[in-house]
C-alpha cells in the first residue's frame, strides 16, 4: 500500500511542488493550506508522515504539532522552517518533531529525510507485531536488544535505570510504590532507605524527559511513581 503524506503548507506553489515530487516517488499526498484544517485532517485521517510548515495562518506549525502530540497522535513530523533560527528548531523538537528542514531546501535532501522517517515508522510497526517492543507515546523499548529510543533518538541507560524503566513500563498507568519498586527492581525487602529510588528516578527522568516536551514519568506524592500513556 502506498504511504500517505500530509503536507501542511500555506505557500501554494511549494505545496504543489512537494505533492508532485512525493507522488513521483510513489507516495500519495494530501495538501492543507492552514494550521487549523491541517490539524483537523491530521487527527481524522491516517498518515505515515506529516510535512509541517511553521509559519502558517490560523494556527502556527508549532501549535499544530503541540496539539497533535497532546491528542496522543505520534505520526512522524518533519518541520519546514523558513527561518534558520535555533529557537524554531529547539521548540519544534521539544514539541516532538522528528526532523526539520530549512527553506529553501533541496528536494533530494527532503526526500531522503522523508524516506528515513517512514522507514523508522514501519520499523516500529513491524517490530511491534513481534511483541518485543514496549511503546508508550514516542518512547520505544526493544526488550530483545535493550535499546531505548524517544522520538527516534537513542537513549543510553545504565542497567539499573533500564530495569527501573522496564518495571514502570510493564506496569504502565498503575502507580508503583517505592516498596513495589524496591522489591521488584532491587530484589530485596524494604529496609527504610527509599531515597535511592528517588535518585534513580531523577536520573531516568533527566535522560527520558528532558528536551522531549511531554514527561513520561509522573510522581504521585506520598505514594510513588507512574508512567502514564495519557
Ligand atoms: Ca508559511
Amino acid at each position: 500500500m502506498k504511504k500517505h503524506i500530509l503536507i501542511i503548507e500555506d505557500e501554494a506553489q511549494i505545496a504543489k511542488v512537494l505533492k508532485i515530487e512525493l507522488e513521483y516517488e510513489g507516495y500519495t499526498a494530501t495538501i492543507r493550506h492552514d494550521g487549523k484544517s491541517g490539524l483537523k485532517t491530521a487527527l481524522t485521517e491516517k498518515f505515515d508522515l506529516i510535512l509541517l510548515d511553521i509559519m502558517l495562518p490560523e494556527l502556527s506549525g508549532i501549535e499544530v504539532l503541540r496539539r497533535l502530540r497532546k491528542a496522543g497522535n505520534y505520526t512522524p513530523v518533519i518541520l519546514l522552517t523558513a527561518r534558520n533560527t535555533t529557537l524554531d528548531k529547539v521548540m519544534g523538537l521539544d514539541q516532538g518533531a522528528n526532523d526539520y528542514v530549512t527553506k529553501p531546501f533541496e528536494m533530494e535532501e527532503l526526500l531522503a529525510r522523508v524516506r528515513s522517517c517512514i522507514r523508522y515508522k514501519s520499523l516500529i510497526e513491524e517490530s511491534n507485531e513481534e511483541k518485543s517492543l514496549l511503546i508508550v507515546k514516542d518512547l520505544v523499548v526493544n526488550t530483545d536488544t535493550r535499546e531505548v529510543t524517544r522520538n527516534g533518538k537513542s537513549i543510553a541507560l545504565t542497567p539499573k535505570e533500564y530495569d527501573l524503566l522496564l518495571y514502570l513500563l510493564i506496569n504502565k498507568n498503575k502507580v508503583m510504590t517505592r516498596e513495589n519498586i524496591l522489591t521488584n527492581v532491587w530484589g530485596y525487602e524494604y529496609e527504610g532507605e527509599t531515597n535511592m529510588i528517588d535518585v534513580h528516578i531523577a536520573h531516568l527522568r533527566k535522560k527520558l524527559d528532558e528536551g522531549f516536551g511531554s514527561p513520561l514519568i509522573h510522581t504521585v506524592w506520598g505514594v510513588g511513581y507512574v508512567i502514564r500513556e495519557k
Side-chain angles (χ1 to χ4, degrees):
M1 216 174 91
K2 280 187 177 182
K3 301 289 183 189
H4 194 184
I5 299 174
L6 175 62
I7 302 163
I8 309 178
E9 165 64 80
D10 59 320
E11 284 161 83
Q13 191 55 33
I14 295 181
K16 198 175 134 194
V17 171
L18 278 173
K19 185 173 157 71
I20 291 168
E21 291 284 344
L22 289 169
E23 285 174 349
Y24 182 77
E25 293 289 313
Y27 304 109
T28 55
T30 299
I31 296 175
R32 291 290 178 269
H33 290 296
D34 67 83
K36 212 168 167 181
S37 66
L39 177 65
K40 194 170 167 231
T41 305
L43 288 173
T44 47
E45 291 173 41
K46 204 175 174 300
F47 294 94
D48 296 287
L49 177 69
I50 300 169
L51 298 180
L52 179 59
D53 184 29
I54 288 190
M55 297 290 280
L56 286 171
E58 304 284 341
L59 277 181
S60 77
I62 296 288
E63 190 56 22
V64 170
L65 178 61
R66 201 185 65 78
R67 294 192 191 184
L68 198 64
R69 296 303 190 235
K70 205 176 164 212
N73 184 308
Y74 291 96
T75 306
V77 168
I78 298 178
L79 291 173
L80 311 176
T81 164
R83 295 171 297 173
N84 192 7
T85 64
T86 341
L87 182 69
D88 267 358
K89 288 169 197 163
V90 169
M91 272 174 63
L93 297 174
D94 261 2
Q95 295 297 338
N98 299 73
D99 209 344
Y100 62 87
V101 290
T102 306
K103 291 184 199 169
F105 47 80
E106 295 289 329
M107 194 53 74
E108 275 315 311
E109 187 200 344
L110 179 71
L111 291 174
R113 288 177 189 222
V114 165
R115 279 192 293 273
S116 132
C117 257
I118 285 185
R119 206 164 39 234
Y120 165 63
K121 187 172 182 273
S122 334
L123 205 68
I124 286 181
E125 284 169 352
E126 283 165 23
S127 322
N128 197 19
E129 285 160 17
E130 294 162 16
K131 304 280 180 224
S132 56
L133 291 195
L134 292 170
I135 302 173
V136 170
K137 294 185 178 177
D138 54 354
L139 174 78
V140 181
V141 175
N142 185 325
T143 55
D144 287 341
T145 61
R146 295 173 72 97
E147 272 174 307
V148 179
T149 60
R150 233 195 128 172
N151 198 15
K153 291 175 194 77
S154 186
I155 297 170
L157 297 181
T158 66
K160 203 42 107 183
E161 287 165 355
Y162 177 84
D163 292 345
L164 179 57
L165 174 63
L166 203 62
Y167 181 67
L168 291 174
L169 268 180
I170 290 166
N171 295 291
K172 67 183 176 191
N173 303 319
K174 287 184 250 171
V175 180
M176 291 293 118
T177 64
R178 289 180 179 77
E179 287 84 349
N180 289 150
I181 295 171
L182 203 61
T183 310
N184 290 285
V185 180
W186 272 264
Y188 51 82
E189 291 304 304
Y190 170 64
E191 282 173 20
E193 278 299 313
T194 51
N195 61 354
M196 166 186 70
I197 294 171
D198 303 321
V199 170
H200 277 83
I201 290 276
H203 289 163
L204 198 53
R205 265 194 177 134
K206 201 170 161 58
K207 292 179 180 179
L208 285 184
D209 287 345
E210 258 178 35
F212 288 102
S214 62
L216 288 165
I217 302 173
H218 301 270
T219 304
V220 180
W221 293 109
V223 187
Y225 297 100
V226 60
I227 287 184
R228 288 210 181 93
E229 256 172 320
K230 300 238 163 173

